[in-house]
Amino acid sequence: MRTPHISRRAVLAGTAAAAAAASLPLSQGRAQAAATPARSGYRWRNVVQGGTGFITGVLFHPSVRGLAYLRTDIGGAYRWDDRAGRWIPLTDHLGWDDWNLLGVEAMAVDPAHPNRVYLSLGAYTQPWAGNGAVLRSDDRGATWKRTDLSVKLGGNEDGRGCGERLLVDPRDSDTLWLGTRHDGLLKSTDRGATWQAVSFPAAPSATGQGVTLLVAVGRSVYAGWGDSDGTSANLYRTSDGATWEAVPGQPTGTAAKVPIRAAYDRHTRELYVTYANAPGPNGQSDGSVHKLRTTSGKWTEVTPVKPGGTTADGSADSFGYGGVAVDARRPGTLVVSTNNRWSLVDTLYRTTDGGRTWTSLKDTAVLDVSETPYLKWGADKPKFGWWIQAVGLDPFDSRHVVHGTGATLYGTRDLKHFAPQIRGVEEASVRQLVSPPTGRAHLLSGSGDIGVMYHERLTASPSRGMASNPVFGTSTGLSLATAEPSYVVRAGWGDHGNGASSNDGGKTWTPFKTQPDPAKSAPGPIATNADASVLLWSFGTANPAHRSTDNGATWTEVPTFPKGAAPVADPLDPTRCYAFDTTTGTLFASSDSGQTFTARATGLSSGDTEFQLVAAPGRTGDLWLSLKGNGLYRSTDGGATFTKVSSCHASHTLGFGKAARGASYPALYMVGATDAITAVYRSDDEAKTWTRINDDRHQWGWTGAAITGDPRVYGRVYVATNGRGVQYGEPA
C-alpha cells in the first residue's frame, strides 16, 4: 500500500518545549476521538491509532489563517479544524462501490473564495479500477458536488507524492486545470462541473506519470511532465490559458528527470522546482533543486546537497528531492525535502537566502512521539521521516512547518521541536480484529504496514505502540484461545521472525522458538484452538499448512489441510477445527485437534480467496460462511451441511458480539446487503432480520476485511476499513 519493508522505517518525549510546540494550531495534545452521531441512530468514531499511512499532500489556504487540507493515498482527504485542533475527514461518504475514490490524486483551493475546495479522486489506473472523479465544495468540504470523469487517476500509484495536479486558474476562479497520468491535461470552465481535454505539447507514455504538478506563477500556469526521458522538456507553461510551450533553459539530465513539486515566491518572482530521477516515493536515487527567475528566464541550481557518495558505513547516499514550500511572508525563505534517503534518513532543508545556503532541520530536531508511540517502530527513537514529499509552510507563521511521511504528519512551530500533528487522521488498512471477552483491552487489531496493536483505550494511540518481539510490517493472522483468552497468537511479515504468542492478552509477545520454512516467504493466517494447546498456520496455496503442539517450538506438516485456507478453531471443543477451501468450495473439518482434515460439505461457491468462515462463540459446530455476492450460509452440524440464509443476498464479512437483552444468541454484525445497498448491519435474532447501523455519511469505501462485535458491550461493533482505520459504532 504505502510503506516499505519494516526495517527501512526504522525523541525525545515529554520536554516542555516539545509540549509547547505541540499545543499550537495544526498540532495536538492527547488524542481524542470525535464522536459523530449517524442518522442510523449509531455514533461512529475512529479507534485512535494515529495516522499510520502515507501523507501525500498538505495544503495551507493562502488567505485564511488556520485553514488547511490534507490528502492520503488510500484514506481520503481531511480539513484542519483550527478550533477543535484536529483533522476532519471529508470523504467518509464514499461507499462500497466507490472504494477506488478513497485514493486522492490532488487538491486545490481558490485563493479568492476561501470556502471553495476541490478534490480529484481515483486510486488506480489499471483496467480493473473505475474511472476517477472530481469533487467540488462551496463549504470547505461539508457537502460536495461530484463529476465523474472518463479517465482514470492514480492516487495510490507511483508518483502519488507529486503535485498538486489540480489547480484553480489564477486569472479566473471558474477555470480549473487537471493533470492526468495517461490522458494529458484537462480543463474546466464551469468550476469542475464538466471537463475537456486540451492540447498539450507532450504525449503520454507507458510510465504513467503524465502531468506531475500544476502551479500558478503570477497570471501564468506551469505544468510538470513526468514522462520525459531526461533530455526532452519536462516543464511547460501557458500565459494565455490556450497555448502551452516548453520553458526555455530548463535543467535536464538524470538528476532533473521528473519534476516532483514546485512553489512560487511572489516576492522575488522565482519559481522553485524539486526534481528526481523517478517519481517516488520509492526508487529515487538522484535529484536536484532549481529556481527560475520568471522576470528574466534565468535558471539557477540551488540543490542543498547533491546525492551520491557513500556514508560512514559504506552505504550509498542516494535520494531524490520531494516537497517544497515557500514562505509567504519572507522573500527567499523556503523549505525542501529529500526523499528515499535511507542511509542518512530524510530531512528538510531550509534557506533564507534563496538557496545560496541551507540548514538541515533534522540535525537539530527534537522529536516527541509520545502521542503516537508506534512511530518508534520497536526502536529507541523515531526517525525524522521517510517518503517526505508533502511539505507545508504556514503562510501566517514562518516557523510553522509540516511534513508528511509514510506514517504521519510532523510539525514544528519553532523549527526545532517536532511532534505528530495528525489528530483525526486514521489511514490504516485493517486486516484482522479480535475483541477479547476479558482483560483491559477491548480490541486487538492487525493491519497492513503497522502489524498488531493492543488498544487499551479506544480514544488514544496504543501506549505500547506496535506489537514487538518481533516487529511486523503487515499482519497476516491474529487469533485468541476462547477458553484461555489471555493467550493470543499473531503472524505477519517481519525481518526477525514471522510468528509470536502472548500470555497476557496481547500486551507483550514472545517469538516462536522455531518456524516452518514457508513462514518467511509466505506467512499466512494462524489460529489457536480453544484451549491453546494447538496452533495451525497456513502458508498460501503453494505450501502445506503446519501444526504445533508446543507453542511453536516444533512444527509438523498437515498434508490434508487445504492449501491457502484460513484455519478456524471451534470455540468450545479444542479437538475441532475447520477450513474452507475457496478453490473448490469445500468445507474441511478436523476432530483430532488439526492432525487430519476431511471434506464435509461440498459444492459451495468457489474461486475467491476472500470468502470467510467464522464460528459462533459459545457453541460447537455452529459455522457461518460469507460468500460475498452469493450470500450467507450457516451450518449447525460442524460443516456437514449448510443452509443459505434467506434474509440477505450478499455477505462479505461477519462477526459476533454481546447478545441483546433477553436474547440467547450473540448479536451478529455483517458487512453485506439485505437489498441493493452494501452496508453495516446488526441482527439480534440469528439473522432472521437485520438493521442497518451505518448511514450514507459513514461508509468508508471498502469494508470487507473484518468485523466484530464487542463481547462485553451490547451494540458496540468494530469495522475494518481499507484506509480509514478501525471504525467503531455504538447506539447513540
Side-chain angles (χ1 to χ4, degrees), residues 67-118:
L67 178 59
Y69 296 90
L70 177 151
R71 63 177 166 96
T72 67
D73 54 1
I74 66 168
Y78 297 79
R79 182 190 71 248
W80 178 252
D81 185 330
D82 204 34
R83 178 174 296 181
R86 62 183 299 109
W87 294 95
I88 306 301
L90 301 179
T91 48
D92 282 355
H93 65 282
L94 295 170
W96 182 271
D97 293 335
D98 288 327
W99 64 268
N100 186 56
L101 300 184
L102 267 291
V104 184
E105 181 85 293
M107 311 176 289
V109 297
D110 188 338
H113 299 86
N115 290 336
R116 295 181 183 177
V117 60
Y118 303 88

Side-chain angles (χ1 to χ4, degrees), residues 120 188 194 262 321 613 698:
S120 61
S188 171
T194 61
Y321 280 91
L613 178 71
H698 302 82

